[in-house]
Amino acid sequence: MKHIYFIIAVCFTATLFAQAPAGYYNSATGTGYTLKTQLKAIIDNNDDGLSTEFIAQDLGYGALYDTYENSDVDLYYENNGTLLDMYSERVIQNPDNTSTNLPDAYEYTYGVNQDDGTMGTAEGQRYNREHTIPQSSFSSASPMRNDAHFVIPTDKYVNAQRGNLPYGFVDTTLQFDEYSNGTRRGENTNSGVAAGYSGDVFEPIDEFKGDIARMYFFFVTRYESQITGFNYVMFDGSANQAIDQPFLDILYNWHVNDPVSQRELDRNNAIFNQQNNRNPFIDNPQFVLEIWQNSLSVEEFQITNAVKMYPNPASGNFVNIDSNEDLVVEIYNILGKKVKTQKITSTHKKLSISELAKGVYLVKLNSSIGSITKKLIKQ
């Protein structure tokens, strides 16, 4: 269970970097999109001119099944050596950040339940290879098609039900489909930060939301030089930000609220042993904010010199709001739900954020002369 391994993860903090070869990230010295380009050079073909030791290998599509036998084995939940499928593994995250494991509706054994090419008509019949970034977006080209860092083993039926849908939050007030572990398909929660996309989305359970997010950050980094030619609703058409704004906000929230697990660390190592490259956002989760911070928010904003809000991003329990007007401040989470209201006056200028989880929020500042809405990042 992800949070059961928290103590272990803390104990291994000192070895988190050591799991990558010594010097692997030495050339990752920049910030913002410069850092992303430096990471691309490291994890793609090591074209930074510093080393030819760690050139990523394309092992072909068939080799994914061989990789999975080391990278995607259940040694964390039932701990019985079966296939670890994020779309069927039943795990509940509790309010106190622990996890409860439930019996799976079905399990797969490597070498027995592999896709045989027949149509899947229900869950639990066979497994195949799920491209978290649909391969239609890059015309099934290699090496993308064969990259285990974002291609995962899943139930074939649920994989087909997802199709090419983007990931997001499903509006549970409307009709939706739910699969055996709580994974959902349905209409997007079309409010708040996610209002930029209307249509169906696919939502994994909380236990694996961060895993999916870090796969996306890996993909847009490794394939930075090609991504402007990839056509997918979650992408913005640029090489720099790469991920369209509503989805960037969602993935960042998933990343910070579902931190790296021991299972992800082990998977990263197993794929490195096969492909000779790593997911840097598993090794160094802080890279996400270092690269995309300016796209998620700004350090400070001003409206005609009348309002200041700082620090932003905020790592403490308060942000300061300086204004010539009395304000009513409303904070909304990524689902568009109001989570806090507070008055700000000339004598009380601190906005408390102690009760907020890490992530991206919308802060609406209402005054007698109008209102503005900006993003806030809590680290």
Side-chain angles (χ1 to χ4, degrees), residues 5 73-82 89 101 104 107:
Y5 289 97
V73 180
D74 188 352
L75 303 176
Y76 314 93
Y77 302 100
E78 283 72 31
N79 191 21
N80 58 6
T82 59
E89 187 65 50
N101 187 40
D104 297 335
E107 292 181 327

Side-chain angles (χ1 to χ4, degrees), residues 61 131 133-146 150 164 219 226-232 235:
Y61 195 47
H131 292 77
I133 292 85
Q135 56 178 319
S136 61
S137 66
F138 49 83
S139 302
S140 300
S142 297
M144 289 75 71
R145 184 175 188 245
N146 317 321
F150 79 96
N164 293 343
F219 183 91
Q226 300 160 268
I227 200 165
T228 57
F230 297 165
N231 183 23
Y232 190 46
F235 299 151

Side-chain angles (χ1 to χ4, degrees), residues 255-318:
H255 169 65
V256 297
N257 288 305
D258 175 30
V260 173
S261 67
Q262 188 62 45
R263 179 257 171 167
E264 282 184 271
L265 293 172
D266 295 342
R267 187 176 197 274
N268 200 19
N269 290 331
I271 295 174
F272 175 66
N273 288 336
Q274 296 291 107
Q275 289 187 184
N276 209 31
N277 68 349
R278 306 181 65 83
N279 184 333
F281 305 103
I282 294 174
D283 287 335
N284 302 287
Q286 74 276 9
F287 281 160
V288 176
L289 188 61
E290 291 176 13
I291 291 171
W292 281 281
Q293 176 175 308
N294 289 336
S295 297
L296 292 162
S297 186
V298 293
E299 292 186 358
E300 184 178 281
F301 69 85
Q302 300 184 43
I303 305 298
T304 62
N305 296 320
V307 179
K308 286 185 179 181
M309 185 172 81
Y310 60 91
N312 188 14
S315 56
N317 293 325
F318 297 93

Side-chain angles (χ1 to χ4, degrees), residues 51-301:
S51 171
T52 58
E53 183 179 0
F54 301 112
I55 297 176
Q57 301 297 308
D58 179 5
L59 303 177
Y61 195 47
L64 286 168
Y65 284 129
D66 297 327
T67 299
Y68 295 156
E69 292 190 37
N70 293 302
S71 63
D72 293 85
V73 180
D74 188 352
L75 303 176
Y76 314 93
Y77 302 100
E78 283 72 31
N79 191 21
N80 58 6
T82 59
L83 180 150
L84 204 163
D85 171 14
M86 292 191 288
Y87 294 170
S88 65
E89 187 65 50
R90 297 182 68 208
V91 188
I92 297 175
Q93 287 193 342
N94 303 315
D96 62 354
N97 284 334
T98 61
S99 301
T100 300
N101 187 40
L102 301 174
D104 297 335
Y106 52 88
E107 292 181 327
Y108 290 127
T109 301
Y110 284 111
V112 177
N113 306 116
Q114 186 173 306
D115 184 12
D116 59 5
T118 58
M119 182 66 67
T121 57
E123 286 191 66
Q125 295 176 344
R126 58 191 63 84
Y127 68 90
N128 65 0
R129 294 157 289 197
E130 157 75 314
H131 292 77
T132 57
I133 292 85
Q135 56 178 319
S136 61
S137 66
F138 49 83
S139 302
S140 300
S142 297
M144 289 75 71
R145 184 175 188 245
N146 317 321
D147 192 335
H149 279 297
F150 79 96
V151 186
I152 57 177
T154 65
D155 177 80
K156 181 177 182 179
Y157 177 80
V158 182
N159 184 352
Q161 293 301 298
R162 186 229 164 178
N164 293 343
L165 292 179
Y167 291 101
F169 289 104
V170 169
D171 189 339
T172 57
T173 67
L174 303 174
Q175 184 175 356
F176 63 93
D177 296 319
E178 184 166 301
Y179 307 102
S180 62
N181 76 337
T183 294
R184 298 166 175 161
R185 168 186 171 142
E187 188 170 327
N188 174 53
T189 302
N190 194 27
S191 59
V193 176
Y197 168 79
S198 60
D200 284 355
V201 294
F202 194 81
E203 181 180 355
I205 63 173
D206 292 346
E207 181 77 0
F208 301 117
K209 282 184 166 76
D211 306 51
I212 296 291
R214 286 178 281 276
M215 290 177 185
Y216 268 73
F217 296 134
F218 166 86
F219 183 91
V220 300
T221 299
R222 180 179 179 188
Y223 302 110
E224 178 184 77
S225 60
Q226 300 160 268
I227 200 165
T228 57
F230 297 165
N231 183 23
Y232 190 46
V233 67
M234 292 184 70
F235 299 151
D236 71 353
S238 74
N240 286 332
Q241 179 173 319
I243 303 171
D244 196 41
Q245 193 65 54
F247 297 107
L248 178 61
D249 294 332
I250 289 170
L251 293 177
Y252 178 76
N253 274 34
W254 289 5
H255 169 65
V256 297
N257 288 305
D258 175 30
V260 173
S261 67
Q262 188 62 45
R263 179 257 171 167
E264 282 184 271
L265 293 172
D266 295 342
R267 187 176 197 274
N268 200 19
N269 290 331
I271 295 174
F272 175 66
N273 288 336
Q274 296 291 107
Q275 289 187 184
N276 209 31
N277 68 349
R278 306 181 65 83
N279 184 333
F281 305 103
I282 294 174
D283 287 335
N284 302 287
Q286 74 276 9
F287 281 160
V288 176
L289 188 61
E290 291 176 13
I291 291 171
W292 281 281
Q293 176 175 308
N294 289 336
S295 297
L296 292 162
S297 186
V298 293
E299 292 186 358
E300 184 178 281
F301 69 85

